[in-house]
Amino acid sequence: MTKEQEQVIAQVQLQIKPGETVDEDKIKNLVNFFRMLTPLSDDEAAETIAELQSKLAVKMDRGSFVKEKNHISWYYAAKGRINPQFWTRYSTYLYKDAGFNSDVINSIDVATDEMMDLLSNPSDDVAFQRRGLVIGDVQSGKTSTYLALMNKAADAGYHVIILLTGTIEKLRRQTQGRTDEGFVGLDSTAFNKNKDNVFVGVGNIDRSVSGWAVTSTTSDFNTATATKLSGQLSSISDPVVFVLKKNKSVLEKLESWLRLFNCNPSTGTIDSPLLLIDDEADNASVSTKPGEDPTTINKNIRKILKLFSKASYVGFTATPFANIFIDPDSTQEMLGDDLFPRDFIYALEAPTNYIGAASIFPVHGKYHFMLHDNYDCDEYVPVKHKKTHTPGDIPLSLREAIAAFVITNAVRDLRGQKTKHRSMLVNVSVFVDVQKKIADQLDSYVRELQREIRNYYMMNRVALQYSSFAFLKDVFDSYYSKCGFTWEQIQVALWEAIAPIVVRYVNGGNAAKNLNYDENEELGLRIIAVGGYSLSRGLTLEGLSHSYFYRNTKMYDTLMQMGRWFGYRPHYEDLCQIWINEDAVDWYSYISEAADELKREVRRMQAEQRTPADFGLCVRSDNATLLVTARNKMRTAKDYTMTVSLSGNIIETPFIHINEQVQKNNLLITKQLIDSIVEAGYQPVINDSTYALADKVQFLDVPQEFVLDYLRTYQSHTSNSNFHTGEIVKLIMAADDGSLDKWDIVVASGNGEKTVTLGDNDISCVQRSFAVREDVGAYQMSGSKSRLGNRSYAKGGLTKKLAARIEASEHAEQLKRFGETRPLNQNVFFKPDFFDKPRNPLLVIYPVELKAPAELRTSADMQKFNAAKNITHALIGISVGIPAIKGREPKQYQYKINLIKYRELEGLDAPDETDDTIED
């Protein structure tokens, strides 16, 4: 994009209101109008229109969060008294310079408002220590969010901001540069050297305010520089920011300087409010030692926090698996509490243009086309190798990847993106020595390609007699035949595309020098980066389009962080390719599902008004070849097995939300389910003596999609450990034999005073005794017995004659075995023995009216209880029954759970399948 194009884009965006739906004609008209003021060629105008359409189409949903119960909301009331000067200029910067549309900025605004409210008020006189965690996605833009949080915190009165990056200096410098642009407003290098101020980023928007940078893009924390620049923190009027590596020496120097030069002699603490943001919070910050002696980084972070009388700690990570296993009980007098996010957990949503694991690795994923198998890499660099290993010949898959990268450079040049950075990642070894050998080998290969292309690229079809051109043409035909350009156009563009490409190996020591994007702004750096760990933690590979990955790590967090291919690929997402072995594809599919499930848990926790401190978290761990995180980070983790049986079994929801909003949502979607079934032409069967449940409302042979849509939106309480709606939906969809295509639906009814209208039927609620489980935010049906349903409802959809035959047969069998008949287990009505073909699966809907527990003896007491709990409507519980089918076994899911979840599960009573006390 030229400066003129960017200027027109900014002018057009200013004409569009937040949330406004804009069609292509309006965009064209606006671009054509502003072209009169800022001339653009027709090609530039077309590209500008496409860029605006892409930007304006991006949306971003609100995040979800859980918080501790006693925290008092403060930020919204205080906003009227806060001058939002830092946030105003940063939001303007996001809009004008970073290219964010107003909807995304509004979403960031809302999310960071909520985060600010979860922190403590820096203007209060009381001391505080807050601990929180923000969960995002790899390469999804967490930096923009925490910079927004820093700006709002500065406006609100947080005077000291410490931003911890990873353990690599290149990453720290990269983050410092973004902090200069998004918060400080000045080039920190010039500022630290007392040169004339060089305004950058937000500083070019409003120079009346700025942050005070103690570190710079060339220097981490230095005691002498800090003393010269800052003196005492209290003497500086601007908010002071430190951008630091997680390094033992750096953190110890900072802690010592803060303690010696800034503590109040009378209190021994620093009075200035602190916001400490820990980026990549699962990396290095989590203590991996048993007992009360934490690891060095963890210890130093806690010592710094304890120096401040008012301190808020917020960890940011895309891989929170280690953080949720921090011991919540760990505290030491000298260090204070550990970094467990006891006060809040916030799950961010990624914008709609984010390309993540869920859209790449599943077979149906939008970007699954990117994946290719590098089956031949094991002969080149085996999964298990030593640092002395010498790679063999470059495998075909890697040569294809390089050829694809070269062609992509030509396509992007032809698309008018000549000044954009382009990167390719090669990550096949952890050893620096091996990485260097690979880089040298690939450099030679690329130079040979460059020479041959330089010599023959203008020779039209004749060039194809040369092996390099023939190979490139084959790759073009395989991957890029629909890129919008012919091979003849690509061939002519090849030399200009490949000439600037360099091959470099990147590790912690040379990353700053070799990933020098800032020094290649005019043309754009075109690099094939060979590396390992340094390319796996926070570093951004600008314009990454091709990745070649062959590694044997089996930890969720490490694998996800190695996925540098996640992120944003504007106007070249169709060109991106990933070479990866089949095992790793399976791993990533599984891990992305586990990560998404963890986010869903946060949303469910929010609905249940749970807190991080009283609700535990769990992480899927079925795959025996994968580790959730490093074993020394899971010292407190427990194993837990959840069984979902969808064969000859009924599962139900004996725990119903106390949260009124969730109750009303479940009631609403139940009404919508029945309405949609009736609208589709399915009439209820009622008062038909042919059926076993003649007096109940039943819908027969209802298509599966109605039930799936209902289960997707029904919010089951997390304490219903065997009723996980997401897993039930997946297992139903996986049944490809037609046995679960048609469903019977029964609406239970009883003698309750409350009624609920479903379709054209007013239905009296069933009454259930209950226990109030304030500890988990639920009503537990039938008290400790945890039963919702009456076993008679297992006959739903069956004729009276068939149900009687099943009962008679089972009782006859009992007489043979026991000499007496016993109450039948509801699952007998789903055994295959009695059916010529499997019966329909069954959904039973229970409209529930709570029946006063023993301690509430009178109706007056119950009325008071109902008023206090605001129960003015029916509660909805459900059960699902699946017919037994040969070969369909119960599905078990393995989890790693933290101590809190373990204690919760230990405290829940198991359902009593033989209980026969419930009557409707």
Side-chain angles (χ1 to χ4, degrees):
M1 286 279 151
T2 64
K3 289 182 179 179
E4 289 75 17
Q5 286 175 297
E6 291 174 351
Q7 186 176 345
V8 169
I9 287 172
Q11 290 168 329
V12 171
Q13 284 186 311
L14 288 172
Q15 308 305 311
I16 297 169
K17 299 175 183 178
E20 180 182 354
T21 300
V22 183
D23 60 23
E24 185 176 356
D25 287 340
K26 180 168 183 177
I27 293 174
K28 286 181 178 178
N29 291 336
L30 287 169
V31 169
N32 287 331
F33 174 79
F34 286 109
R35 281 178 71 185
M36 293 187 291
L37 304 175
T38 307
L40 300 178
S41 69
D42 289 344
D43 287 343
E44 288 174 334
E47 187 182 5
T48 302
I49 291 167
E51 176 72 11
L52 278 163
Q53 288 175 318
S54 174
K55 286 180 182 294
L56 295 171
V58 179
K59 306 294 181 185
M60 181 176 170
D61 291 335
R62 289 182 62 173
S64 307
F65 63 89
V66 290
K67 61 178 181 177
E68 55 97 359
K69 290 179 179 176
N70 296 323
H71 182 59
I72 298 173
S73 175
W74 66 275
Y75 184 67
Y76 299 102
K79 282 184 75 174
R81 301 186 298 272
I82 293 172
N83 180 4
Q85 50 192 351
F86 278 91
W87 164 245
T88 299
R89 71 173 190 165
Y90 181 63
S91 59
T92 304
Y93 167 78
L94 289 177
Y95 194 74
K96 292 181 63 177
D97 294 6
F100 286 43
N101 70 36
S102 56
D103 286 310
V104 173
I105 295 172
N106 287 344
S107 295
I108 293 174
D109 189 13
V110 170
T112 47
D113 271 0
E114 291 174 335
M115 291 178 202
M116 284 298 301
D117 199 51
L118 294 169
L119 303 179
S120 288
N121 187 348
S123 299
D124 282 350
D125 294 331
V126 295
F128 58 80
Q129 289 280 329
R130 299 287 288 174
R131 300 283 191 272
L133 179 69
V134 178
I135 304 170
D137 292 280
V138 175
Q139 298 284 91
S140 66
K142 296 186 299 299
T143 304
S144 299
T145 302
Y146 68 63
L147 283 172
L149 183 63
M150 289 166 59
N151 279 280
K152 289 188 176 181
D155 285 329
Y158 278 92
H159 186 58
V160 180
I161 299 174
I162 296 175
L163 174 54
L164 300 180
T165 66
T167 59
I168 304 166
E169 175 61 16
K170 170 61 179 177
L171 175 57
R172 193 206 67 79
R173 294 186 183 188
Q174 199 175 69
T175 306
Q176 178 78 59
R178 292 175 180 175
T179 304
D180 290 352
E181 292 181 347
F183 177 71
V184 178
L186 301 168
D187 181 341
S188 56
T189 301
F191 182 79
N192 276 206
K193 292 181 178 179
N194 292 322
K195 293 184 177 180
D196 292 338
N197 288 338
V198 178
F199 292 96
V200 296
V202 292
N204 291 321
I205 293 167
D206 180 0
R207 300 183 179 184
S208 66
V209 294
S210 68
W212 189 281
V214 182
T215 53
S216 72
T217 49
T218 57
S219 175
D220 205 331
F221 179 79
N222 178 282
T223 303
T225 302
T227 303
K228 181 176 69 173
L229 276 176
S230 304
Q232 286 195 323
L233 297 174
S234 59
S235 66
I236 302 170
S237 59
D238 297 327
V240 183
V241 62
F242 304 79
V243 180
L244 312 170
K245 284 193 304 295
K246 294 183 205 175
N247 173 278
K248 175 180 181 292
S249 175
V250 169
L251 294 177
E252 286 178 347
K253 287 177 183 176
L254 175 62
E255 190 276 335
S256 177
W257 179 78
L258 288 170
R259 179 167 38 81
L260 294 175
F261 292 95
N262 291 279
C263 280
N264 185 325
S266 61
T267 62
T269 59
I270 299 171
D271 299 326
S272 299
L274 166 71
L275 171 62
L276 192 153
I277 292 177
D278 185 358
D279 193 16
E280 307 289 341
D282 62 306
N283 181 29
S285 301
V286 178
S287 181
T288 55
K289 287 184 179 180
E292 292 297 307
D293 182 24
T295 48
T296 302
I297 302 299
N298 178 274
K299 180 192 300 183
N300 283 312
I301 293 173
R302 290 160 70 180
K303 287 172 72 174
I304 290 170
L305 289 167
K306 195 171 182 186
L307 279 177
F308 289 80
S309 58
K310 303 176 185 178
S312 289
Y313 167 91
V314 184
F316 276 74
T317 181
T319 48
F321 306 112
N323 301 83
I324 69 169
F325 294 117
I326 296 173
D327 186 352
D329 302 329
S330 176
T331 181
Q332 294 155 294
E333 184 176 351
M334 294 299 294
L335 300 176
D337 296 344
D338 204 345
L339 305 180
F340 180 81
R342 65 179 184 225
D343 297 308
F344 68 90
I345 299 174
Y346 197 107
L348 291 167
E349 295 295 332
T352 52
N353 62 334
Y354 173 71
I355 300 173
S359 61
I360 294 175
F361 292 101
V363 174
H364 61 273
K366 180 180 179 180
Y367 298 102
H368 190 72
F369 71 84
M370 294 180 180
L371 299 178
H372 311 286
D373 188 8
N374 54 1
Y375 58 91
D376 53 356
C377 187
D378 200 61
E379 297 179 10
Y380 179 58
V381 180
V383 166
K384 294 183 178 180
H385 61 274
K386 298 180 179 179
K387 67 179 181 179
T388 55
H389 174 74
T390 298
D393 293 336
I394 300 173
L396 175 62
S397 60
L398 182 50
R399 287 188 285 117
E400 282 185 346
I402 292 171
F405 180 60
V406 171
I407 293 169
T408 290
N409 274 272
V411 174
R412 295 194 66 188
D413 284 350
L414 290 170
R415 288 180 178 179
Q417 302 169 11
K418 287 187 176 182
T419 62
K420 300 296 184 182
H421 299 303
R422 328 278 175 77
S423 300
M424 175 177 174
L425 163 68
V426 178
N427 188 342
V428 298
S429 177
V430 69
F431 299 114
V432 172
D433 290 347
V434 178
Q435 294 166 16
K436 188 176 187 307
K437 292 174 184 176
I438 294 170
D440 290 343
Q441 189 180 39
L442 297 186
D443 182 68
S444 296
Y445 178 70
V446 169
R447 289 181 185 278
E448 289 174 13
L449 270 179
Q450 287 170 330
R451 282 193 292 271
E452 193 152 319
I453 288 172
R454 175 67 183 88
N455 290 334
Y456 307 117
Y457 79 103
M458 294 298 293
M459 296 180 65
N460 301 321
R461 304 286 301 178
V462 176
L464 292 177
Q465 68 181 302
Y466 297 98
S467 59
S468 294
F469 280 88
F471 184 61
L472 286 164
K473 175 67 162 55
D474 287 343
V475 172
F476 172 82
D477 291 340
S478 297
Y479 301 136
Y480 300 116
S481 60
K482 298 180 180 179
C483 69
F485 301 98
T486 65
W487 167 252
E488 288 72 23
Q489 291 172 296
I490 296 295
Q491 181 177 310
V492 172
L494 280 176
W495 169 241
E496 193 172 347
I498 195 175
I501 292 177
V502 296
V503 180
R504 293 172 180 164
Y505 76 101
V506 178
N507 56 54
N510 67 20
K513 179 181 71 174
N514 286 343
L515 288 179
N516 55 339
Y517 294 106
D518 294 341
E519 298 172 17
N520 291 269
E521 287 295 334
E522 186 173 342
L523 174 63
L525 179 63
R526 305 184 185 195
I527 184 173
I528 297 175
V530 181
Y533 178 80
S534 294
L535 297 179
S536 305
R537 272 290 176 182
L539 276 178
T540 299
L541 291 172
E542 302 285 352
L544 179 66
S545 58
H546 292 69
S547 298
Y548 192 90
F549 179 84
Y550 195 78
R551 292 286 297 274
N552 70 337
T553 182
K554 294 181 174 60
M555 291 184 289
Y556 291 17
D557 40 18
T558 304
L559 276 168
M560 291 301 283
Q561 290 292 350
M562 284 181 172
R564 297 292 96 188
W565 46 81
F566 306 134
Y568 306 96
R569 306 287 180 259
H571 308 305
Y572 65 98
E573 65 271 18
D574 59 317
L575 307 176
C576 298
Q577 310 290 341
I578 303 166
W579 278 260
I580 191 170
N581 60 307
E582 287 186 355
D583 285 344
V585 170
D586 292 340
W587 296 344
Y588 274 106
S589 297
Y590 179 83
I591 295 166
S592 68
E593 188 176 315
D596 288 344
E597 185 172 329
L598 191 58
K599 280 192 172 184
R600 287 197 298 271
E601 285 297 300
V602 175
R603 288 194 286 272
R604 293 172 72 184
M605 288 165 63
Q606 182 178 25
E608 294 170 22
Q609 297 183 321
R610 310 290 281 275
T611 78
D614 67 13
F615 182 90
L617 290 171
C618 51
V619 182
R620 282 277 297 277
S621 60
D622 305 302
N623 193 319
T625 64
L626 296 173
L627 290 172
V628 174
T629 185
R631 286 189 173 90
N632 57 8
K633 295 180 181 179
M634 293 194 297
R635 299 186 316 277
T636 64
K638 304 289 185 181
D639 291 307
Y640 171 65
T641 301
M642 182 183 78
T643 302
V644 177
S645 177
L646 288 186
S647 182
N649 194 23
I650 292 179
I651 52 178
E652 59 182 26
T653 59
F655 289 85
I656 293 179
H657 289 271
I658 284 179
N659 184 287
E660 182 185 3
Q661 188 58 48
V662 178
Q663 295 169 7
K664 289 183 176 179
N665 174 74
N666 285 341
L667 178 58
L668 174 63
I669 65 169
T670 301
K671 291 180 176 181
Q672 291 172 341
L673 168 68
I674 302 302
D675 288 344
S676 63
I677 291 172
V678 172
E679 287 173 9
Y682 296 89
Q683 295 302 315
V685 175
I686 189 170
N687 297 323
D688 185 338
S689 60
T690 306
Y691 290 94
L693 300 180
D695 61 333
K696 308 300 179 186
V697 174
Q698 301 182 79
F699 294 88
L700 308 179
D701 294 323
V702 176
Q704 178 193 86
E705 53 263 29
F706 288 98
V707 176
L708 289 176
D709 287 344
Y710 180 66
L711 291 175
R712 288 187 183 107
T713 51
Y714 179 84
Q715 296 185 51
S716 172
H717 194 280
T718 49
S719 294
N720 296 313
S721 57
N722 288 340
F723 200 103
H724 195 299
T725 52
E727 301 305 334
I728 296 169
V729 166
K730 288 176 189 173
L731 291 174
I732 292 172
M733 293 178 66
D736 55 5
D737 56 2
S739 61
L740 304 183
D741 288 353
K742 299 290 186 180
W743 284 66
D744 296 332
I745 300 175
V746 177
V747 181
S749 59
N751 301 315
E753 295 178 6
K754 288 188 177 69
T755 61
V756 60
T757 301
L758 297 176
D760 294 329
N761 298 282
D762 293 327
I763 298 169
S764 296
C765 292
V766 300
Q767 291 185 320
R768 291 290 179 263
S769 60
F770 66 99
V772 181
R773 291 296 304 272
E774 295 281 6
D775 57 330
V776 296
Y779 300 118
Q780 185 176 359
M781 298 299 99
S782 296
S784 63
K785 293 184 181 297
S786 292
R787 289 296 310 279
L788 170 68
N790 180 321
R791 63 176 46 83
S792 67
Y793 285 105
K795 304 173 190 176
L798 301 183
T799 63
K800 185 181 294 184
K801 185 181 296 186
L802 178 55
R805 183 161 64 86
I806 293 171
E807 289 177 314
S809 176
E810 284 298 305
H811 281 142
E813 180 66 25
Q814 288 179 353
L815 281 171
K816 287 181 184 178
R817 293 177 60 195
F818 309 116
E820 62 178 355
T821 62
R822 301 176 178 181
L824 294 181
N825 187 298
Q826 58 189 345
N827 294 339
V828 302
F829 295 99
F830 290 86
K831 291 172 65 174
D833 312 23
F834 306 104
F835 304 93
D836 296 330
K837 62 177 183 178
R839 64 169 289 181
N840 283 347
L842 178 68
L843 170 66
V844 182
I845 296 169
Y846 291 91
V848 176
E849 176 184 319
L850 299 180
K851 186 165 60 176
E855 63 267 23
L856 299 178
R857 299 289 183 182
T858 68
S859 59
D861 287 336
M862 192 63 194
Q863 288 173 359
K864 290 179 181 178
F865 177 82
N866 281 342
K869 295 299 181 183
N870 201 23
I871 305 173
T872 59
H873 47 268
L875 308 180
I876 300 294
I878 61 176
S879 68
V880 170
I882 303 293
I885 296 177
K886 188 176 180 180
R888 185 184 291 155
E889 300 297 329
K891 180 70 175 176
Q892 290 189 330
Y893 296 96
Q894 304 297 324
Y895 287 84
K896 289 289 184 183
I897 60 178
N898 65 359
L899 284 176
I900 295 170
K901 184 70 174 177
Y902 176 74
R903 291 165 187 162
E904 177 195 338
L905 292 171
E906 285 287 290
L908 298 179
D909 293 310
D912 181 359
E913 271 294 329
T914 64
D915 178 61
D916 197 33
T917 61
I918 299 175
E919 297 182 1
D920 294 319

